[in-house]
Amino acid sequence: MRRLAVVIGGLLLLGGAALVVVADQERAASVAAVKAEIARVEDALEASRGDNLELAAQLTALRDQIAEQDAKIADTTGFLK
């Protein structure tokens, strides 16, 4: 009976150790996946920053045109032609 208990205890110990190893591998894989996702998001953010700068330049040009047109519309005397 003692031998059976020792064998079962050993099997439980090995099983527990195997579970710890598998869980650690899963954790490491999850950490790697999160790091890869962070890198992807950072790249997308950098790309969008460039796009945002271009759009900001276009918006500034359009605002300047609107300001000119508003000035022309507001000139009721005709001096700004």
Side-chain angles (χ1 to χ4, degrees):
M1 196 57 130
R2 186 181 289 175
R3 287 183 186 173
L4 180 61
V6 170
V7 169
I8 290 175
L11 290 175
L12 288 174
L13 183 63
L14 290 175
L19 283 174
V20 168
V21 168
V22 169
D24 187 52
Q25 289 174 348
E26 287 291 322
R27 183 197 58 80
S30 296
V31 168
V34 168
K35 286 182 180 180
E37 185 65 17
I38 288 171
R40 187 193 65 78
V41 168
E42 286 176 345
D43 291 342
L45 181 61
E46 280 300 318
S48 68
R49 282 184 184 146
D51 293 341
N52 284 344
L53 289 176
E54 291 176 20
L55 290 172
Q58 291 176 359
L59 181 61
T60 301
L62 290 172
R63 283 182 177 163
D64 290 342
Q65 288 178 355
I66 290 171
E68 287 177 21
Q69 291 174 357
D70 281 345
K72 287 180 182 178
I73 290 172
D75 182 26
T76 58
T77 60
F79 288 124
L80 295 178
K81 289 184 180 179

